[in-house]
């Protein structure tokens, strides 16, 4: 079935997206709100920062349709047709992470009102950062019958960012590409930036260039502080115990650590939890075989992971 172009409002923003509703045999069908990962990632899972298509969310919509589920995916603020909406670049600093949670809330409400959709069987599937939004919706009591957290952000954002930058610094120091003294100065500046964000939600404009290139700029300070305040494990531990939850993580994922998902699963143990452990998929759920992921494989012409798709379909069949 072809996608239908739709739009819905969230605050001052008109969000543009794609709705797909399979023909119902008897009665309305269950439906899924699909949420993209971080950055300028659009309704299909494609990023404006990469020179080619990825297609993760479009693939999920295809899988959902085959299994009798409607889906809504949309270009979040800063991506695709939605763009910056009514805002200028100078307005970005005033927009917090709550803007994205509000949009997802309004998207879920829009989906519930569509003809052919069973409003009593609404689910949210979030990929990467989108999983944190899915968790937030369920924690806030949104009318969801289950959530899937795919390669999710499973620790506080600034803790993950610190771990990633530390690993990168270790690598370039070990390769002889950066003096250890410079690396230590960057680590100290990073620790100060994290402390500032957590104390009062601000960032200095004089941070070293490598940290600014990692997104630690004052225009992002409010969004970073708000997102970091959401601890995925604390949110998970407070979910309704009857809620069906799916988590997935791959040993080949270079953005998510398996041990972090293990800890998230421990916080979800009271729910109806299904945990998928993958061995050949990269972060965007493409099958990379025996090779190691570098990030360049995100836009490679590769099939999506069968081990993920089979596990996801088995979870859908139980809903």
């Amino acid at each position: 079935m072809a996608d239908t172009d739709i739009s819905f409002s969230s605050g001052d923003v008109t969000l543009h997206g794609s709705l797909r509703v399979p023909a119902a045999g008897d009665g309305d069908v269950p439906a899924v709100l699909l949420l993209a990962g971080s950055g300028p990632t659009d309704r299909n899972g494609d990023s404006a920062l990469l020179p080619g298509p990825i297609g993760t969310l479009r693939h999920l919509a295809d899988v959902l349709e085959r299994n009798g589920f409607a889906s809504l995916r949309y270009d979040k603020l800063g991506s695709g047709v939605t763009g910056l909406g009514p805002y200028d670049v100078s307005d970005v600093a005033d927009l917090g992470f709550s803007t994205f949670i509000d949009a997802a809330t309004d998207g879920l409400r829009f989906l519930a009102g569509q003809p052919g959709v069973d409003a009593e069987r609404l689910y949210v599937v979030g990929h990467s950062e989108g999983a944190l939004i899915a968790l937030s919706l369920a924690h806030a009591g949104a009318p969801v019958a289950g959530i899937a957290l795919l390669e999710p952000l499973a620790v506080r954002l600034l803790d993950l960012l610190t771990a990633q930058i530390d690993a990168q610094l270790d690598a370039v120091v070990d390769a002889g590409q950066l003096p250890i003294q410079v690396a230590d100065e960057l680590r100290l500046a990073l620790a100060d930036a994290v402390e500032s964000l957590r104390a009062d939600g601000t960032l200095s404009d004089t941070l070293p260039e490598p940290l600014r290139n990692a997104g630690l700029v004052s225009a992002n300070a409010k969004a970073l502080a708000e997102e970091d305040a959401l601890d995925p494990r604390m949110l998970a531990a407070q979910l309704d115990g009857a809620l069906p939850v799916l988590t997935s993580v791959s040993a080949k994922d270079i953005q998510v650590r398996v041990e972090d998902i293990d800890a998230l699963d421990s916080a979800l143990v009271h729910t109806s939890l299904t945990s998928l452990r993958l061995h050949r998929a990269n972060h965007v759920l493409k099958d990379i075989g025996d090779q190691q992921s570098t990030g360049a494989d995100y836009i490679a012409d590769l099939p999506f992971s069968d081990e993920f798709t089979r596990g996801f379909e088995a979870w859908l069949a139980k809903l």
Side-chain angles (χ1 to χ4, degrees):
M1 175 173 289
D3 291 327
T4 299
D5 288 336
I6 57 87
S7 63
F8 64 93
S9 296
S10 183
D12 296 330
V13 181
T14 298
L15 295 119
H16 298 266
S18 298
L19 175 69
R20 197 182 299 185
V21 183
D26 294 310
D28 296 335
V29 299
V32 171
L33 178 69
L34 293 168
L35 299 175
S38 61
T41 306
D42 67 14
R43 73 184 81 180
N44 293 324
D46 300 339
S47 172
L49 300 178
L50 294 175
I54 300 173
T56 305
L57 267 63
R58 185 177 58 247
H59 170 68
L60 291 172
D62 292 341
V63 175
L64 288 165
E65 181 183 5
R66 289 201 307 267
N67 287 271
F69 285 73
S71 66
L72 171 64
R73 61 194 199 274
Y74 61 91
D75 297 332
K76 64 181 180 177
L77 187 65
S79 76
V81 179
T82 300
L84 287 177
Y87 302 120
D88 294 323
V89 173
S90 59
D91 298 321
V92 171
D94 296 325
L95 303 176
F97 191 68
S98 58
T99 301
F100 300 102
I101 297 176
D102 291 344
T105 301
D106 291 324
L108 191 66
R109 185 179 300 113
F110 175 86
L111 179 59
Q114 297 310 296
V117 165
D118 184 349
E120 299 298 317
R121 290 189 293 165
L122 297 178
Y123 302 88
V124 182
V125 174
H127 176 249
S128 193
E129 184 184 81
L132 179 60
I133 299 175
L135 263 177
S136 299
L137 292 182
H139 179 264
V144 296
I147 58 174
L149 313 174
L150 311 181
E151 310 301 302
L153 175 61
V155 298
R156 291 179 67 180
L157 174 66
L158 295 177
D159 290 340
L160 178 63
L161 186 61
T162 297
Q164 290 175 336
I165 292 175
D166 276 341
Q168 292 165 1
L169 289 174
D170 286 342
V172 293
V173 168
D174 291 345
Q177 298 171 342
L178 188 73
I180 191 169
Q181 296 88 345
V182 176
D184 287 343
E185 290 171 1
L186 287 170
R187 287 190 173 97
L188 182 60
L190 174 60
D192 288 344
V194 170
E195 181 179 2
S196 179
L197 282 168
R198 288 179 170 170
D200 57 18
T202 62
L203 277 174
S204 169
D205 288 324
T206 61
L207 286 173
E209 183 178 359
L211 299 185
R212 296 198 307 273
N213 290 341
L216 292 168
V217 295
S218 55
N220 294 338
K222 183 176 181 179
L224 290 170
E226 286 188 358
E227 184 172 0
D228 178 70
L230 298 171
D231 186 332
R233 296 172 193 175
M234 290 184 63
L235 296 177
Q238 296 171 21
L239 293 184
D240 187 309
L243 191 73
V245 180
L246 173 74
T247 63
S248 78
V249 65
S250 176
K252 293 291 183 77
D253 192 327
I254 58 174
Q255 294 183 234
V256 176
R257 298 179 298 188
V258 172
E259 58 266 33
D260 290 338
I261 310 304
D262 289 340
L264 181 64
D265 282 355
S266 294
L268 288 164
V269 70
H270 66 291
T271 67
S272 179
L273 176 65
T274 299
S275 183
L276 296 183
R277 290 296 186 266
L278 312 176
H279 305 284
R280 297 166 55 92
N282 62 13
H283 183 67
V284 297
L285 300 175
K286 290 183 177 181
D287 190 328
I288 59 172
D290 295 329
Q291 67 180 311
Q292 297 301 312
S293 179
T294 64
D297 44 281
Y298 292 7
I299 58 172
D301 185 18
L302 295 169
F304 283 98
S305 166
D306 280 340
E307 58 180 343
F308 165 75
T309 301
R310 288 194 302 269
F312 185 52
E313 289 184 321
W315 182 70
L316 293 174
K318 296 186 296 184
L319 298 178

